[in-house]
Coordinates of all heavy atoms in Angstrom, one line a residue:
M118 N 0.8 -1.2 0.0 CA 0.0 0.0 0.0 C 0.9 1.2 0.0 O 1.8 1.3 0.8 CB -0.9 0.0 1.2 CG -1.7 1.3 1.4 SD -2.9 1.3 2.7 CE -1.9 1.2 4.2
T119 N 0.5 2.2 -0.8 CA 1.2 3.4 -0.9 C 0.5 4.5 0.0 O -0.7 4.6 -0.1 CB 1.2 4.0 -2.4 OG1 1.7 2.9 -3.2 CG2 2.1 5.2 -2.5
I120 N 1.3 5.2 0.8 CA 0.7 6.2 1.7 C 1.2 7.6 1.3 O 2.5 7.8 1.2 CB 1.0 5.9 3.1 CG1 0.5 4.5 3.5 CG2 0.5 7.0 4.1 CD1 1.0 4.0 4.9
N121 N 0.3 8.5 1.0 CA 0.7 9.9 0.7 C 0.1 10.8 1.8 O -1.1 10.8 1.9 CB 0.2 10.2 -0.7 CG 0.6 11.6 -1.1 OD1 1.5 12.2 -0.5 ND2 0.0 12.1 -2.2
I122 N 1.0 11.5 2.5 CA 0.5 12.4 3.6 C 0.8 13.8 3.2 O 1.9 14.1 2.8 CB 1.2 12.0 4.9 CG1 1.0 10.5 5.3 CG2 0.7 12.9 6.0 CD1 1.8 10.0 6.5
Q123 N -0.2 14.6 3.3 CA -0.1 16.1 3.0 C -0.6 16.9 4.2 O -1.6 16.6 4.8 CB -0.9 16.4 1.8 CG -0.5 15.7 0.5 CD -1.3 16.1 -0.7 OE1 -2.2 16.9 -0.6 NE2 -0.9 15.5 -1.8
Y124 N 0.1 18.0 4.4 CA -0.2 19.0 5.4 C -0.6 20.3 4.7 O 0.2 20.8 4.0 CB 1.0 19.2 6.3 CG 1.4 18.0 7.1 CD1 2.3 17.1 6.6 CD2 0.8 17.8 8.4 CE1 2.6 16.0 7.3 CE2 1.2 16.6 9.1 CZ 2.1 15.7 8.6 OH 2.4 14.6 9.3
V125 N -1.9 20.7 4.9 CA -2.4 21.9 4.2 C -2.2 23.1 5.1 O -2.8 23.2 6.2 CB -3.9 21.7 3.9 CG1 -4.5 22.9 3.2 CG2 -4.1 20.4 3.1
H126 N -1.4 24.0 4.7 CA -1.1 25.3 5.3 C -0.6 25.1 6.8 O -1.0 25.8 7.7 CB -2.4 26.2 5.4 CG -2.9 26.5 4.0 ND1 -2.2 27.2 3.1 CD2 -4.1 26.2 3.4 CE1 -2.9 27.3 2.0 NE2 -4.1 26.7 2.1
M127 N 0.3 24.1 6.9 CA 0.9 23.9 8.2 C 2.2 23.2 8.0 O 2.5 22.7 6.9 CB 0.0 23.1 9.1 CG -0.5 21.8 8.6 SD -1.6 20.9 9.6 CE -0.5 20.2 10.8
L128 N 3.0 23.1 9.1 CA 4.3 22.5 9.0 C 4.1 20.9 9.0 O 3.2 20.4 9.7 CB 5.2 22.9 10.1 CG 5.6 24.4 10.1 CD1 6.4 24.7 11.4 CD2 6.4 24.8 8.9
T129 N 5.0 20.2 8.4 CA 5.0 18.8 8.4 C 5.5 18.3 9.8 O 6.3 18.9 10.4 CB 5.8 18.1 7.3 OG1 7.2 18.6 7.4 CG2 5.3 18.6 5.9
S130 N 5.1 17.1 10.1 CA 5.5 16.5 11.4 C 5.9 15.1 11.2 O 5.1 14.2 10.7 CB 4.3 16.6 12.4 OG 4.5 15.8 13.5
E131 N 7.1 14.7 11.5 CA 7.6 13.4 11.3 C 6.9 12.4 12.3 O 6.7 11.3 12.0 CB 9.1 13.3 11.5 CG 9.9 14.0 10.5 CD 9.7 13.4 9.1 OE1 9.6 12.2 9.0 OE2 9.6 14.2 8.1
A132 N 6.6 12.9 13.5 CA 5.9 12.1 14.5 C 4.5 11.7 14.0 O 4.1 10.6 14.1 CB 5.8 12.8 15.8
M133 N 3.8 12.7 13.4 CA 2.5 12.3 12.8 C 2.6 11.4 11.6 O 1.8 10.5 11.5 CB 1.7 13.6 12.4 CG 1.1 14.4 13.6 SD 0.0 13.3 14.5 CE -1.2 12.8 13.4
N134 N 3.6 11.6 10.8 CA 3.9 10.7 9.7 C 4.0 9.3 10.2 O 3.4 8.3 9.7 CB 5.1 11.1 8.9 CG 4.9 12.3 8.0 OD1 3.7 12.8 7.9 ND2 5.9 12.8 7.5
A135 N 4.8 9.1 11.2 CA 5.1 7.7 11.8 C 3.8 7.2 12.4 O 3.5 6.0 12.2 CB 6.2 7.8 12.8
Y136 N 3.0 8.0 13.1 CA 1.8 7.6 13.8 C 0.8 7.1 12.7 O 0.2 6.0 12.9 CB 1.3 8.7 14.6 CG 0.0 8.4 15.3 CD1 0.0 7.6 16.5 CD2 -1.2 8.9 14.9 CE1 -1.2 7.3 17.2 CE2 -2.4 8.6 15.6 CZ -2.4 7.8 16.7 OH -3.5 7.5 17.4
V137 N 0.6 7.9 11.7 CA -0.4 7.6 10.7 C 0.0 6.4 9.9 O -0.8 5.5 9.6 CB -0.7 8.8 9.8 CG1 -1.5 8.4 8.6 CG2 -1.4 9.9 10.5
T138 N 1.3 6.3 9.5 CA 1.8 5.2 8.8 C 1.6 3.8 9.6 O 1.2 2.8 9.0 CB 3.3 5.4 8.4 OG1 3.4 6.6 7.7 CG2 3.8 4.2 7.6
G139 N 1.9 3.9 10.9 CA 1.7 2.7 11.7 C 0.3 2.3 11.7 O 0.0 1.1 11.6
K140 N -0.7 3.2 11.9 CA -2.1 2.9 12.0 C -2.6 2.3 10.6 O -3.3 1.4 10.6 CB -2.9 4.1 12.4 CG -2.7 4.6 13.8 CD -3.3 3.7 14.7 CE -3.3 4.3 16.1 NZ -3.9 3.4 17.1
L141 N -2.1 2.9 9.5 CA -2.6 2.5 8.2 C -2.0 1.1 7.9 O -2.6 0.3 7.2 CB -2.2 3.5 7.1 CG -3.1 4.7 7.1 CD1 -2.6 5.8 6.2 CD2 -4.5 4.4 6.7
N142 N -0.8 0.9 8.3 CA -0.2 -0.5 8.1 C -0.9 -1.6 8.8 O -1.1 -2.7 8.3 CB 1.3 -0.5 8.5 CG 2.2 0.2 7.4 OD1 1.8 0.3 6.2 ND2 3.3 0.8 7.8
K143 N -1.4 -1.3 10.1 CA -2.2 -2.2 10.8 C -3.5 -2.5 10.0 O -3.9 -3.6 9.9 CB -2.6 -1.7 12.2 CG -1.5 -1.9 13.2 CD -2.0 -1.4 14.6 CE -0.9 -1.5 15.6 NZ -1.4 -1.0 16.9
L144 N -4.1 -1.4 9.5 CA -5.3 -1.6 8.7 C -5.1 -2.4 7.5 O -5.9 -3.2 7.1 CB -5.9 -0.2 8.4 CG -7.3 -0.1 7.9 CD1 -8.3 -0.5 9.1 CD2 -7.7 1.3 7.5
N145 N -3.9 -2.2 6.9 CA -3.6 -2.9 5.6 C -3.3 -4.4 5.9 O -3.5 -5.2 5.0 CB -2.3 -2.3 5.0 CG -2.1 -2.8 3.6 OD1 -3.0 -3.1 2.9 ND2 -0.9 -2.9 3.2
Q146 N -2.8 -4.7 7.1 CA -2.6 -6.2 7.4 C -4.0 -6.9 7.5 O -4.1 -8.0 7.2 CB -1.9 -6.3 8.8 CG -0.4 -5.9 8.7 CD 0.3 -5.9 10.0 OE1 -0.4 -6.2 11.0 NE2 1.6 -5.7 10.0
K147 N -5.0 -6.1 8.0 CA -6.3 -6.7 8.2 C -7.0 -6.8 6.8 O -7.7 -7.7 6.5 CB -7.1 -5.9 9.1 CG -8.3 -6.5 9.7 CD -8.9 -5.7 10.8 CE -10.1 -6.4 11.4 NZ -10.7 -5.6 12.5
Y148 N -6.9 -5.7 6.0 CA -7.5 -5.6 4.7 C -6.4 -5.5 3.7 O -6.1 -4.3 3.3 CB -8.5 -4.5 4.6 CG -9.6 -4.5 5.7 CD1 -9.4 -3.8 6.9 CD2 -10.7 -5.3 5.6 CE1 -10.4 -3.8 7.9 CE2 -11.6 -5.4 6.6 CZ -11.5 -4.6 7.7 OH -12.4 -4.7 8.7
D149 N -5.9 -6.6 3.2 CA -4.7 -6.5 2.3 C -5.0 -6.1 0.9 O -4.0 -5.9 0.1 CB -3.9 -7.8 2.3 CG -4.8 -9.0 1.8 OD1 -6.0 -8.8 1.7 OD2 -4.2 -10.1 1.6
W150 N -6.2 -5.8 0.6 CA -6.6 -5.4 -0.8 C -6.6 -3.9 -0.9 O -7.0 -3.4 -2.0 CB -7.9 -6.0 -1.2 CG -8.9 -6.2 -0.1 CD1 -9.1 -7.3 0.7 CD2 -9.9 -5.3 0.3 NE1 -10.1 -7.1 1.6 CE2 -10.6 -5.8 1.3 CE3 -10.2 -4.0 -0.1 CZ2 -11.6 -5.2 2.0 CZ3 -11.2 -3.3 0.5 CH2 -11.9 -3.9 1.6
I151 N -6.2 -3.1 0.1 CA -6.1 -1.7 0.0 C -4.9 -1.3 -0.8 O -3.8 -1.8 -0.6 CB -6.0 -1.0 1.4 CG1 -7.2 -1.3 2.2 CG2 -5.8 0.5 1.3 CD1 -7.1 -0.9 3.7
I152 N -5.1 -0.5 -1.8 CA -4.1 -0.1 -2.8 C -3.3 1.1 -2.4 O -2.1 1.1 -2.4 CB -4.7 0.1 -4.2 CG1 -5.4 -1.2 -4.6 CG2 -3.6 0.5 -5.2 CD1 -6.3 -1.0 -5.8
N153 N -4.0 2.2 -2.0 CA -3.4 3.5 -1.8 C -4.2 4.2 -0.7 O -5.4 4.0 -0.5 CB -3.5 4.3 -3.1 CG -2.8 5.6 -3.1 OD1 -2.0 5.8 -2.2 ND2 -3.1 6.4 -4.1
A154 N -3.4 5.1 0.0 CA -4.1 5.9 1.1 C -3.6 7.4 0.9 O -2.4 7.6 0.8 CB -3.7 5.4 2.4
E155 N -4.5 8.3 0.8 CA -4.3 9.7 0.8 C -4.7 10.3 2.1 O -5.9 10.2 2.4 CB -5.1 10.4 -0.4 CG -4.7 9.9 -1.8 CD -3.4 10.6 -2.3 OE1 -3.1 11.7 -1.8 OE2 -2.7 10.0 -3.1
V156 N -3.8 11.0 2.8 CA -4.1 11.5 4.1 C -3.8 13.0 4.0 O -2.8 13.5 3.5 CB -3.2 10.9 5.2 CG1 -3.5 11.5 6.6 CG2 -3.3 9.4 5.2
H157 N -4.8 13.8 4.5 CA -4.7 15.3 4.5 C -4.9 15.8 6.0 O -5.9 15.4 6.6 CB -5.7 15.9 3.6 CG -5.5 15.6 2.2 ND1 -4.7 16.3 1.3 CD2 -6.0 14.6 1.4 CE1 -4.7 15.8 0.1 NE2 -5.5 14.7 0.2
F158 N -4.0 16.6 6.4 CA -4.2 17.3 7.7 C -4.4 18.7 7.5 O -3.7 19.4 6.7 CB -2.9 17.0 8.6 CG -2.8 15.6 9.1 CD1 -1.8 14.8 8.6 CD2 -3.6 15.1 10.1 CE1 -1.6 13.5 9.1 CE2 -3.5 13.8 10.5 CZ -2.5 13.0 10.0
E159 N -5.3 19.3 8.3 CA -5.6 20.7 8.2 C -5.9 21.3 9.6 O -6.3 20.5 10.5 CB -6.9 21.0 7.3 CG -6.8 20.6 5.9 CD -8.0 20.8 5.1 OE1 -8.8 21.7 5.5 OE2 -8.2 20.2 4.1
I160 N -5.7 22.6 9.7 CA -6.1 23.3 10.9 C -7.2 24.3 10.6 O -7.0 25.1 9.7 CB -4.9 24.0 11.6 CG1 -3.9 23.0 12.0 CG2 -5.4 24.8 12.8 CD1 -2.6 23.6 12.7
E161 N -8.3 24.2 11.3 CA -9.4 25.2 11.1 C -9.2 26.3 12.2 O -9.3 26.0 13.4 CB -10.7 24.5 11.2 CG -11.9 25.4 10.9 CD -13.2 24.7 11.0 OE1 -13.3 23.5 10.9 OE2 -14.2 25.4 11.3
H162 N -8.8 27.4 11.7 CA -8.5 28.5 12.7 C -9.7 29.1 13.4 O -9.5 29.7 14.4 CB -7.7 29.6 12.0 CG -6.4 29.1 11.5 ND1 -5.3 28.7 12.3 CD2 -6.0 28.8 10.2 CE1 -4.3 28.3 11.6 NE2 -4.7 28.3 10.3
N163 N -10.9 29.0 12.8 CA -12.1 29.6 13.4 C -12.7 28.8 14.5 O -13.7 29.2 15.1 CB -13.1 30.0 12.3 CG -12.5 31.0 11.4 OD1 -11.6 31.8 11.7 ND2 -13.0 31.0 10.2
A164 N -12.3 27.5 14.6 CA -13.0 26.6 15.5 C -12.6 26.9 17.0 O -11.5 27.3 17.3 CB -12.6 25.2 15.2
K165 N -13.6 26.8 17.8 CA -13.3 27.1 19.3 C -12.7 25.9 19.9 O -11.8 26.0 20.7 CB -14.6 27.4 20.0 CG -15.3 28.6 19.4 CD -15.9 29.4 20.5 CE -16.7 30.6 20.1 NZ -16.1 31.5 19.1
E166 N -13.1 24.6 19.6 CA -12.5 23.5 20.3 C -11.9 22.5 19.3 O -10.7 22.3 19.3 CB -13.6 22.7 21.0 CG -14.2 23.5 22.2 CD -15.3 22.7 22.9 OE1 -15.4 21.5 22.7 OE2 -16.0 23.3 23.7
N167 N -12.7 22.0 18.4 CA -12.3 21.0 17.4 C -11.8 21.6 16.1 O -12.6 21.9 15.2 CB -13.4 19.9 17.1 CG -13.8 19.2 18.4 OD1 -13.1 19.2 19.3 ND2 -15.0 18.6 18.3
G168 N -10.5 21.9 16.0 CA -10.0 22.5 14.8 C -9.0 21.7 14.1 O -8.5 22.1 13.1
K169 N -8.7 20.5 14.5 CA -7.7 19.6 13.9 C -8.5 18.7 13.0 O -9.2 17.8 13.5 CB -6.9 18.9 14.9 CG -6.3 19.7 16.0 CD -5.2 20.6 15.5 CE -4.4 21.2 16.6 NZ -4.8 22.4 17.2
I170 N -8.3 18.8 11.7 CA -9.0 18.0 10.7 C -8.1 16.9 10.1 O -7.0 17.3 9.6 CB -9.6 18.9 9.6 CG1 -10.6 19.9 10.3 CG2 -10.4 18.1 8.6 CD1 -11.0 21.0 9.4
C171 N -8.6 15.7 10.0 CA -7.9 14.6 9.3 C -8.9 14.1 8.2 O -10.0 13.7 8.6 CB -7.5 13.6 10.3 SG -6.8 12.1 9.5
K172 N -8.4 14.0 7.0 CA -9.2 13.4 5.9 C -8.4 12.3 5.3 O -7.2 12.4 5.0 CB -9.4 14.4 4.8 CG -10.2 15.7 5.2 CD -10.3 16.7 4.1 CE -11.0 17.9 4.6 NZ -11.1 18.9 3.5
I173 N -9.0 11.1 5.2 CA -8.3 9.9 4.6 C -9.2 9.4 3.5 O -10.4 9.2 3.7 CB -8.0 8.9 5.7 CG1 -7.2 9.4 6.8 CG2 -7.4 7.6 5.0 CD1 -6.9 8.4 7.9
E174 N -8.5 9.1 2.4 CA -9.2 8.5 1.2 C -8.4 7.2 0.9 O -7.2 7.3 0.7 CB -9.2 9.5 0.0 CG -9.9 9.0 -1.2 CD -9.9 10.0 -2.3 OE1 -9.6 11.2 -2.1 OE2 -10.2 9.6 -3.4
L175 N -9.1 6.1 0.8 CA -8.5 4.8 0.5 C -8.9 4.4 -0.9 O -10.1 4.5 -1.3 CB -8.9 3.8 1.5 CG -8.5 4.0 2.9 CD1 -9.0 2.8 3.8 CD2 -7.0 4.1 3.1
S176 N -7.9 3.9 -1.7 CA -8.2 3.3 -3.0 C -8.2 1.8 -2.8 O -7.3 1.2 -2.2 CB -7.1 3.6 -4.0 OG -7.1 5.0 -4.2
A177 N -9.3 1.2 -3.2 CA -9.5 -0.3 -3.1 C -10.4 -0.7 -4.2 O -10.9 0.1 -5.0 CB -10.2 -0.6 -1.7
P178 N -10.5 -2.0 -4.5 CA -11.4 -2.4 -5.5 C -12.8 -1.9 -5.3 O -13.4 -1.9 -4.2 CB -11.4 -4.0 -5.4 CG -10.1 -4.3 -4.7 CD -9.8 -3.1 -3.8
G179 N -13.4 -1.3 -6.3 CA -14.7 -0.6 -6.2 C -14.5 0.9 -6.0 O -13.4 1.4 -6.2
P180 N -15.5 1.6 -5.6 CA -15.4 3.0 -5.4 C -14.5 3.3 -4.2 O -14.3 2.5 -3.3 CB -16.9 3.4 -5.0 CG -17.7 2.3 -5.4 CD -16.9 1.1 -5.4
R181 N -13.9 4.5 -4.3 CA -13.0 5.0 -3.2 C -13.7 5.1 -1.9 O -14.9 5.5 -1.9 CB -12.3 6.3 -3.6 CG -11.3 6.1 -4.7 CD -10.7 7.4 -5.0 NE -9.7 7.2 -6.1 CZ -8.4 7.6 -6.0 NH1 -8.0 8.2 -5.0 NH2 -7.6 7.3 -7.0
L182 N -13.0 4.9 -0.8 CA -13.5 5.1 0.5 C -13.0 6.4 1.1 O -11.8 6.6 1.0 CB -13.1 3.9 1.4 CG -13.5 2.5 0.9 CD1 -12.9 1.4 1.7 CD2 -15.0 2.4 0.9
F183 N -13.8 7.2 1.8 CA -13.4 8.5 2.3 C -14.1 8.7 3.6 O -15.2 8.3 3.9 CB -13.9 9.6 1.3 CG -13.5 10.9 1.8 CD1 -12.2 11.4 1.7 CD2 -14.4 11.8 2.4 CE1 -11.8 12.6 2.1 CE2 -14.1 13.0 2.8 CZ -12.8 13.5 2.7
A184 N -13.3 9.3 4.5 CA -13.8 9.6 5.8 C -13.0 10.9 6.3 O -11.8 11.1 6.0 CB -13.6 8.5 6.9
T185 N -13.7 11.7 7.1 CA -13.0 12.9 7.7 C -13.6 13.1 9.1 O -14.7 12.7 9.4 CB -13.3 14.1 6.8 OG1 -12.6 15.2 7.3 CG2 -14.8 14.4 6.7
S186 N -12.7 13.7 9.9 CA -13.2 14.1 11.3 C -12.4 15.3 11.7 O -11.3 15.6 11.3 CB -12.9 12.9 12.2 OG -11.6 12.6 12.3
S187 N -13.1 16.0 12.7 CA -12.5 17.2 13.3 C -12.5 17.0 14.8 O -13.6 16.8 15.4 CB -13.3 18.4 12.9 OG -12.8 19.6 13.5
E188 N -11.3 17.0 15.4 CA -11.2 16.7 16.8 C -10.3 17.8 17.4 O -9.8 18.7 16.7 CB -10.6 15.3 17.1 CG -11.6 14.2 16.6 CD -12.8 14.1 17.5 OE1 -12.8 14.4 18.7 OE2 -13.9 13.7 16.9
N189 N -10.0 17.7 18.7 CA -9.2 18.6 19.4 C -7.7 18.3 19.2 O -6.9 19.2 19.4 CB -9.5 18.7 20.9 CG -9.5 17.4 21.6 OD1 -9.3 16.4 21.0 ND2 -9.7 17.4 22.9
T190 N -7.3 17.1 18.9 CA -5.9 16.7 18.5 C -5.9 15.9 17.3 O -6.9 15.3 16.9 CB -5.3 15.9 19.7 OG1 -5.9 14.6 19.7 CG2 -5.3 16.6 21.0
F191 N -4.8 15.9 16.6 CA -4.7 15.2 15.3 C -4.8 13.7 15.6 O -5.3 12.9 14.8 CB -3.4 15.5 14.6 CG -3.4 16.8 13.9 CD1 -2.6 17.9 14.2 CD2 -4.3 17.0 12.9 CE1 -2.6 19.1 13.6 CE2 -4.4 18.2 12.2 CZ -3.5 19.3 12.5
E192 N -4.2 13.2 16.7 CA -4.3 11.8 17.1 C -5.7 11.3 17.2 O -6.1 10.2 16.7 CB -3.5 11.5 18.3 CG -2.0 11.6 18.2 CD -1.5 13.1 18.3 OE1 -2.3 14.0 18.6 OE2 -0.3 13.3 18.1
N193 N -6.5 12.1 17.9 CA -7.9 11.7 18.0 C -8.7 11.7 16.7 O -9.5 10.9 16.4 CB -8.7 12.6 19.0 CG -8.2 12.4 20.4 OD1 -7.6 11.3 20.8 ND2 -8.5 13.3 21.3
A194 N -8.3 12.7 15.9 CA -8.9 12.8 14.5 C -8.6 11.6 13.7 O -9.4 11.1 13.0 CB -8.5 14.1 13.9
V195 N -7.3 11.2 13.8 CA -6.9 10.0 13.0 C -7.6 8.8 13.5 O -8.1 8.0 12.7 CB -5.3 9.8 13.1 CG1 -4.9 8.5 12.6 CG2 -4.6 10.9 12.4
K196 N -7.7 8.6 14.8 CA -8.4 7.4 15.3 C -9.9 7.4 14.9 O -10.4 6.3 14.5 CB -8.4 7.5 16.9 CG -7.0 7.1 17.5 CD -7.1 7.2 19.0 CE -5.7 7.1 19.6 NZ -5.8 7.3 21.1
K197 N -10.6 8.5 15.0 CA -12.0 8.5 14.6 C -12.1 8.3 13.1 O -13.0 7.6 12.7 CB -12.6 9.9 15.0 CG -14.1 9.9 14.8 CD -14.7 11.2 15.4 CE -16.2 11.2 15.3 NZ -16.8 10.9 14.1
T198 N -11.3 8.9 12.3 CA -11.4 8.7 10.8 C -11.1 7.3 10.5 O -11.8 6.7 9.6 CB -10.3 9.6 10.1 OG1 -10.6 11.0 10.5 CG2 -10.5 9.5 8.6
L199 N -10.1 6.6 11.1 CA -9.8 5.2 10.8 C -10.9 4.3 11.3 O -11.2 3.3 10.6 CB -8.5 4.8 11.4 CG -7.2 5.4 10.7 CD1 -6.0 5.0 11.5 CD2 -7.2 4.9 9.3
K200 N -11.6 4.7 12.4 CA -12.7 3.9 12.8 C -13.9 3.9 11.8 O -14.5 2.9 11.5 CB -13.2 4.4 14.2 CG -14.1 3.5 14.9 CD -14.5 4.0 16.3 CE -13.3 4.0 17.2 NZ -13.7 4.4 18.6
D201 N -14.1 5.1 11.3 CA -15.2 5.3 10.2 C -14.8 4.5 9.0 O -15.7 3.9 8.4 CB -15.4 6.7 9.9 CG -16.0 7.5 11.0 OD1 -16.5 6.9 12.0 OD2 -15.9 8.8 11.0
L202 N -13.5 4.5 8.6 CA -13.1 3.8 7.4 C -13.2 2.3 7.6 O -13.5 1.5 6.7 CB -11.7 4.2 7.0 CG -11.5 5.5 6.3 CD1 -10.0 5.8 6.2 CD2 -12.2 5.5 5.0
E203 N -12.9 1.8 8.8 CA -13.0 0.4 9.1 C -14.4 -0.1 9.0 O -14.6 -1.2 8.5 CB -12.4 0.0 10.5 CG -12.2 -1.4 10.7 CD -11.2 -1.8 11.7 OE1 -10.7 -0.9 12.4 OE2 -10.9 -3.0 11.9
V204 N -15.4 0.7 9.3 CA -16.8 0.3 9.2 C -17.1 0.1 7.7 O -17.7 -0.8 7.2 CB -17.7 1.3 9.8 CG1 -19.2 1.1 9.4 CG2 -17.6 1.3 11.3
Q205 N -16.6 1.1 6.9 CA -16.8 1.0 5.4 C -16.0 -0.2 4.8 O -16.6 -0.9 3.9 CB -16.3 2.3 4.7 CG -17.1 3.5 5.1 CD -16.5 4.7 4.4 OE1 -16.1 4.7 3.3 NE2 -16.5 5.8 5.2
L206 N -14.8 -0.5 5.3 CA -14.1 -1.7 4.8 C -14.8 -3.0 5.2 O -14.8 -3.9 4.3 CB -12.7 -1.6 5.4 CG -11.7 -0.6 4.8 CD1 -10.5 -0.4 5.7 CD2 -11.4 -0.9 3.4
K207 N -15.4 -3.1 6.3 CA -16.1 -4.3 6.7 C -17.3 -4.5 5.8 O -17.5 -5.6 5.3 CB -16.6 -4.2 8.2 CG -15.5 -4.4 9.2 CD -16.1 -4.3 10.6 CE -15.0 -4.4 11.6 NZ -15.5 -4.2 13.0
K208 N -18.0 -3.4 5.5 CA -19.1 -3.5 4.5 C -18.6 -3.9 3.1 O -19.3 -4.8 2.5 CB -19.9 -2.2 4.4 CG -20.7 -1.9 5.6 CD -21.4 -0.5 5.4 CE -22.2 -0.2 6.7 NZ -22.8 1.2 6.5
R209 N -17.5 -3.4 2.7 CA -17.0 -3.7 1.4 C -16.5 -5.2 1.3 O -16.8 -5.9 0.4 CB -15.8 -2.8 1.1 CG -15.0 -3.0 -0.2 CD -15.7 -2.5 -1.4 NE -16.1 -1.2 -1.4 CZ -15.3 -0.1 -1.8 NH1 -14.2 -0.4 -2.3 NH2 -15.8 1.1 -1.8
K210 N -15.9 -5.6 2.4 CA -15.5 -7.0 2.5 C -16.6 -8.0 2.4 O -16.5 -9.1 1.8 CB -14.7 -7.3 3.7 CG -14.0 -8.6 3.8 CD -13.1 -8.7 5.0 CE -12.3 -10.0 5.0 NZ -11.4 -10.1 6.1
Q211 N -17.8 -7.6 3.0 CA -18.9 -8.5 2.9 C -19.5 -8.6 1.5 O -20.1 -9.6 1.2 CB -20.0 -8.0 3.9 CG -19.7 -8.1 5.3 CD -20.7 -7.5 6.2 OE1 -21.7 -6.9 5.8 NE2 -20.6 -7.7 7.5
T212 N -19.3 -7.6 0.7 CA -19.8 -7.7 -0.7 C -18.9 -8.5 -1.6 O -19.4 -8.9 -2.7 CB -19.9 -6.3 -1.3 OG1 -18.6 -5.7 -1.4 CG2 -20.8 -5.4 -0.5
F213 N -17.7 -8.8 -1.2 CA -16.8 -9.7 -2.0 C -17.4 -11.1 -2.1 O -17.8 -11.7 -1.0 CB -15.4 -9.8 -1.5 CG -14.6 -8.5 -1.6 CD1 -13.5 -8.2 -0.9 CD2 -15.0 -7.5 -2.6 CE1 -12.8 -7.1 -1.0 CE2 -14.2 -6.4 -2.8 CZ -13.1 -6.2 -2.0
V214 N -17.5 -11.6 -3.2 CA -18.0 -13.0 -3.4 C -16.8 -13.9 -3.6 O -16.0 -13.7 -4.5 CB -19.0 -13.1 -4.6 CG1 -19.5 -14.5 -4.8 CG2 -20.1 -12.1 -4.4
K215 N -16.7 -14.9 -2.7 CA -15.6 -15.9 -2.9 C -16.1 -17.1 -3.7 O -17.1 -17.7 -3.4 CB -15.2 -16.3 -1.5 CG -14.6 -15.2 -0.7 CD -14.0 -15.7 0.6 CE -13.4 -14.4 1.3 NZ -12.6 -14.8 2.4
H216 N -15.3 -17.3 -4.7 CA -15.6 -18.5 -5.6 C -14.7 -19.6 -5.4 O -13.6 -19.5 -5.1 CB -15.5 -18.0 -7.1 CG -16.5 -17.0 -7.4 ND1 -17.8 -17.3 -7.7 CD2 -16.3 -15.6 -7.6 CE1 -18.4 -16.1 -8.0 NE2 -17.6 -15.1 -7.9

């Protein structure tokens, strides 16, 4: 799986790169048919509490899977986004017909 991480209007973070890569690799071990992951981090400056946004788009057989979340930290945003994606991946896996 190829992972592309982008930071929109903010500095890059090696710690966040390692954190997201580790989480996505765990997801890839469970669902080995994931091809590509696009991760975008943004900061919403007008938000009072939840201003850290994480958007993840996964390429897999069929339509692309997308989830986004806004939390108070990037780690929480990543966790919530990956949880939403895992629900979508479970549904996608059920549609696969094994011959």
